[in-house]
Amino acid sequence: MGAWQPLPEELPAEVRHFVEQVRLLKDSTGLSLVALGARTAYSKSSWQRYLNATQPPPRQAVAALCRVAGLPDAEAERFGVRWELAVRVWPREPAPLRLPVDGPDPGGRDGTYDPHDTHDGHDPHDGHGGAPQGADGGAGVYEEEPTLPWWDLLDEEPAPGPRTGRVLLSAALLVLALLLVAVAGAVALG
């Protein structure tokens, strides 16, 4: 079970600690990656990426592993904190160089893309190189895309708000209408 491939040397300490702890937790379950994938909403290949530190796991994947391992809530919360610390410093892949939407420059050249060509208005030495930026101006910001198994959604309480009020009002009106129909039917049949 514990024959993991070595983690890259350049990993930040927080990421290394987190991945090592998740590996130990996975090993404590006694499950293979296939069995772990069957008990969570994440595939075997996803778990391989998470446990080899090639991709940060979603927080829900860590929560699912904690649940499968039978951790108490306090210990599962510690894993959540470790996840937050690790994901903040997780190394990002550099953004791939993108061709313009309309293809290479049709200026009679050989059709190759020159990243140092500034005809598109981007200075290749401005630190961005035309790479897409996040909403805060930083390139390559990690955003978690939660994937929840359907059984986790059963435990969640809907947030109180205007929609909850409309649902309750609709239900009350439906019950009132059914009651009126029942009374009218009883009087008519009488």
Side-chain angles (χ1 to χ4, degrees):
M1 289 274 167
W4 296 102
Q5 67 183 19
L7 294 172
E9 292 296 323
E10 63 274 2
L11 274 182
E14 295 89 346
V15 174
R16 179 175 295 281
H17 177 71
F18 172 72
V19 172
E20 288 170 350
Q21 292 298 310
V22 172
R23 284 177 169 186
L24 289 172
L25 183 60
K26 184 267 174 208
D27 287 343
S28 74
T29 66
L31 298 173
S32 67
L33 291 176
V34 173
L36 182 61
R39 293 194 184 185
T40 63
Y42 303 92
S43 68
K44 171 191 169 190
S45 59
S46 292
W47 281 112
Q48 284 175 328
R49 289 190 302 271
Y50 307 153
L51 295 168
N52 289 320
T54 57
Q55 178 183 347
R59 186 179 189 121
Q60 290 80 10
V62 176
L65 176 59
C66 290
R67 189 173 41 258
V68 167
L71 288 183
D73 288 343
E75 190 63 30
E77 184 60 30
R78 282 191 204 90
F79 268 92
V81 170
R82 288 183 193 125
W83 175 86
E84 289 175 10
L85 293 172
V87 87
R88 286 182 189 158
V89 296
W90 204 287
R92 309 293 184 253
E93 293 287 326
L97 213 46
R98 296 185 184 187
L99 290 174
V101 176
D102 56 349
D105 182 20
R109 294 187 306 202
D110 62 357
T112 58
Y113 178 68
D114 181 6
H116 299 292
D117 185 4
T118 60
H119 75 278
D120 64 352
H122 292 293
D123 182 1
H125 303 290
D126 71 354
H128 298 115
Q133 295 183 357
D136 64 349
V141 176
Y142 174 73
E143 292 183 22
E144 180 182 355
E145 294 182 23
T147 304
L148 293 175
W150 63 268
W151 56 86
D152 279 355
L153 298 176
L154 297 176
D155 295 336
E156 291 183 4
E157 301 253 350
R163 183 166 187 204
T164 305
R166 281 185 279 163
V167 171
L168 289 175
L169 179 61
S170 299
L173 290 174
L174 182 62
V175 168
L176 182 62
L178 288 174
L179 185 61
L180 286 174
V181 169
V183 168
V187 168
L189 296 174

